Amino acid sequence: MNRIRSLALPIAVTLTAGALSALAAGTAQAADVNVARNGGFESGLANWSCTGGTGASVSSPVYAGSGALKATPAGQDNARCSQTVTVKPNSTYTLSTQVQGSYVYLGATGTGTQDVSTWTPGSGAGWQKLSTTFTTGPGTTQVTVYTHGWYGQPAYVVDEFSVFGPDGGGGTDPGPSVPGAPAGTAVSGQSANALTFSWNAVGSATGYYVYQDGVRVKTVTGGSSTQITGLTASTSYSFQVSAYNAAGEGPKSAPVTGTTTGTDPGPGPGPAVPKHALTGYWQNFNNGATVQKISDVSAQYDIIAVSFADATSTPGAITFNLDSAGLGGYTVAQFKADIAAKKAAGKSVILSIGGEKGTISVGDSASANNLANSAYALMQEYGFTGIDIDLENGLNPTYMTQALRSLSSKVGSSLVITMAPQTIDMQSTQGGYFRTALNIKDILTVVNMQYYNSGSMNGCDGKVYSQGSVDFLTALACIQLEGGLDPSQVGIGVPASPSGAGSGYVSPTVVNNALDCLTRGTNCGSFKPSKTYPGLRGAMTWSTNWDAKAGSAWSNSVGPKVHGLP
């Protein structure tokens, strides 16, 4: 869909002599238009054709608007979806789209000159823009534009497909109008420091602006509710929301008032983490892995890390927005009940902060306090028993230590704190992650380093080891074990399947051999530690969803091994 709007405003224009001559001669060209039809997929698959019935219109995930294209390669079919656009001869067009998925292609054929294509290896999560240009031949009036995935890869998603250039006479999509005011505003989930504000979705909206007492405090995309944290107990607040898209911001909703409760005693102590624990990350989004509710997560997992918390406009502060639409209508009430049930079964459900796209930064005392206060409010609201630090853009050990100790003082000894640093973050005790782990050693549960997407790294013996081997797991774990962490604070983090990460996947057998090597001194590769560490905490995987997609092969193999460690 064409997201460009016209502005009825006076514009000052400076023209060159050549441009003035062109205008005088009546040869000035009209502005470029989007000659693609239904590029936002708000009208389903109208104007589009997908091979073998591989394409479908979906409402989540979307980059903008209310629809997107999801296509799934099958066998020798790469899920090619295309449409024919009407173009003008001897003209240049810009072809672009937003994509999610691995190995997604964008291209044009029948240009009359040189056909073009571009692609991205992707990561399976997050939107990425693809763009290229083509020039039409002297007799070309129609061009086929397309997108496709790759054989053996998961489904890919496309949104905001456009072909901008001179109008070929085939018609264009109209630009959007400003969305109306959201209805159905409500406040729920009251606690001492947080309120949940929700509203009815507006079909033409790209996102929403949330106002607290007349001041814009948040921007929300991909949902129609949000938690407002950092509030004062026993205090009333007024909330409004407006919808926006490329045409601009619409009117605000009618105000609704919510009142926080009195001092909240907190979520209560969580269950004790077992001596040997299996950790799994649970995805609050759909990227081709199995969509799960918390209740669907295998009982093999002792710690379930909900991925991920969201940043707010307040430095250091976090919130959490359940992707109900992307998870098949999973409601907040069900989510909370499932967390409570897992806790009753002795499991810890924690909230992960960061991830590949994480933008949360804690660089001073104020942001450290904001993180602690907002994390505590979310624990009260949802029943989380702790947090996971997965900031892949680094961290400040001074202020992250302050934040975690502040949170610990609020929650008490039952607080679960886990970390998932990259391999490079744990090569030296002087690194920010390693220093933070040592700073909070008395309250730290486990560091599950990510033994993937890293390339070769030094082991504790000074030798270089390549990822994907038992030596890589054991020699790098040795750095943490000999660098000051207790064995109970060290876990091995690996992908659950080849689809779970770009590189570094190893079979469950390799993981189990590494666990045997570190705890018993058996099944080692060329590297054998100088002593054994029978207290090793266990293993972690990304993710429970990719594990389920692969038939739970990882948890069914590694889980019993972890629980059977000495």
Side-chain angles (χ1 to χ4, degrees):
M1 181 178 290
N2 182 3
R3 304 288 178 177
I4 305 300
R5 60 171 174 152
S6 298
L7 296 174
L9 297 174
I11 301 175
V13 180
T14 301
L15 297 175
T16 65
L20 285 169
S21 298
L23 285 173
T27 58
Q29 291 188 351
D32 286 348
V33 298
N34 182 11
V35 298
R37 305 299 300 271
N38 188 31
F41 302 96
E42 265 67 48
S43 299
L45 295 185
N47 303 102
W48 289 90
S49 175
C50 297
T51 57
T54 53
S57 176
V58 295
S59 59
S60 178
V62 298
Y63 181 80
S66 59
L69 164 70
K70 183 176 183 179
T72 307
Q76 296 302 306
D77 192 333
N78 62 9
R80 185 178 189 267
C81 296
S82 63
Q83 71 166 271
T84 300
V85 297
T86 303
V87 295
K88 190 174 182 179
N90 295 320
S91 301
T92 299
Y93 290 82
T94 298
L95 173 63
S96 65
T97 189
Q98 295 286 343
V99 301
Q100 268 193 35
S102 302
Y103 301 97
V104 187
Y105 288 72
L106 172 71
T109 62
T111 63
T113 57
Q114 182 175 356
D115 292 347
V116 298
S117 68
T118 185
W119 64 285
T120 173
S123 62
W127 290 99
Q128 183 172 350
K129 185 174 182 178
L130 284 177
S131 183
T132 187
T133 61
F134 64 87
T135 300
T136 56
T140 303
T141 58
Q142 289 190 321
V143 170
T144 298
V145 292
Y146 64 85
T147 181
H148 67 72
W150 197 247
Y151 311 103
Q153 296 296 316
Y156 68 92
V157 185
V158 173
D159 200 2
E160 297 303 283
F161 194 103
S162 64
V163 185
F164 275 99
D167 188 354
T172 63
D173 279 349
S177 58
V178 173
T185 53
V187 173
S188 61
Q190 287 87 347
S191 71
N193 305 110
L195 296 167
T196 297
F197 177 42
S198 60
W199 55 91
N200 294 340
V202 178
S204 61
T206 299
Y208 303 91
Y209 296 133
V210 175
Y211 293 83
Q212 175 184 318
D213 295 330
V215 178
R216 187 193 295 181
V217 293
K218 297 189 74 173
T219 299
V220 177
T221 58
S224 56
S225 67
T226 188
Q227 187 182 54
I228 311 296
T229 60
L231 305 179
T232 302
S234 302
T235 303
S236 294
Y237 297 89
S238 176
F239 299 102
Q240 290 175 282
V241 61
S242 65
Y244 69 87
N245 60 17
E249 179 182 3
K252 296 177 184 176
S253 67
V256 63
T257 300
T259 304
T260 53
T261 63
T263 303
D264 196 318
V273 175
K275 177 182 178 181
H276 300 297
L278 197 71
T279 301
Y281 285 80
W282 175 86
Q283 298 177 187
N284 179 40
F285 49 86
N286 180 2
N287 67 344
T290 299
V291 172
Q292 292 184 312
K293 297 178 173 64
I294 293 293
S295 56
D296 297 328
V297 175
S298 167
Q300 293 288 351
Y301 292 100
D302 305 291
I303 302 174
I304 303 167
V306 171
S307 309
F308 292 98
D310 297 312
T312 73
S313 58
T314 302
I318 58 172
T319 188
F320 177 74
N321 298 294
L322 184 69
D323 184 12
S324 297
L327 302 181
Y330 195 19
T331 67
V332 172
Q334 289 175 310
F335 179 69
K336 292 178 180 178
D338 288 348
I339 290 176
K342 284 292 186 182
K343 288 171 64 176
K347 312 297 183 181
S348 295
V349 183
I350 63 178
L351 180 60
S352 183
I353 301 170
E356 179 187 1
K357 306 296 184 181
T359 57
I360 297 158
S361 178
V362 179
D364 54 32
S365 291
S367 57
N369 288 331
N370 291 336
L371 175 57
N373 291 337
S374 58
Y376 183 57
L378 292 172
M379 292 180 67
Q380 293 173 307
E381 168 68 10
Y382 290 95
F384 298 122
T385 55
I387 62 173
D388 169 70
I389 305 301
D390 185 17
L391 297 173
E392 297 186 6
N393 57 339
L395 54 78
N396 183 306
T398 300
Y399 296 110
M400 184 56 71
T401 297
Q402 177 184 325
L404 296 175
R405 288 206 173 277
S406 176
L407 181 60
S408 177
S409 69
K410 299 173 185 292
V411 178
S413 60
S414 66
L415 176 67
V416 175
I417 300 176
T418 69
M419 292 182 170
Q422 299 173 99
T423 52
I424 191 66
D425 296 319
M426 301 300 286
Q427 284 278 287
S428 168
T429 56
Q430 298 306 305
Y433 252 106
F434 215 139
R435 286 171 58 193
T436 302
L438 295 176
N439 287 349
I440 62 165
K441 185 176 177 180
D442 56 316
I443 58 173
L444 173 65
T445 306
V446 63
V447 175
N448 291 304
M449 190 176 75
Q450 302 175 43
Y451 293 76
Y452 49 95
N453 291 346
S454 70
S456 299
M457 286 287 165
N458 289 324
C460 66
D461 58 355
K463 296 181 180 179
V464 177
Y465 294 94
S466 299
Q467 64 180 7
S469 65
V470 66
D471 288 332
F472 187 78
L473 304 182
T474 55
L476 268 68
C478 174
I479 296 176
Q480 301 170 63
L481 292 163
E482 296 302 310
L485 292 181
D486 189 84
S488 67
Q489 296 172 323
V490 177
I492 296 174
V494 294
S497 73
S499 300
S503 62
Y505 170 75
V506 294
S507 72
T509 299
V510 173
V511 180
N512 290 344
N513 286 345
L515 293 171
D516 279 338
C517 179
L518 292 169
T519 60
R520 298 184 171 95
T522 61
N523 292 325
C524 298
S526 62
F527 171 81
K528 186 171 184 177
S530 59
K531 62 180 179 180
T532 59
Y533 308 91
L536 194 80
R537 180 67 77 174
M540 170 275 282
T541 196
W542 176 269
S543 62
T544 65
N545 307 74
W546 285 115
D547 183 29
K549 182 82 170 182
S552 299
W554 192 88
S555 58
N556 286 340
S557 176
V558 180
K561 170 63 72 171
V562 166
H563 298 138
L565 291 175

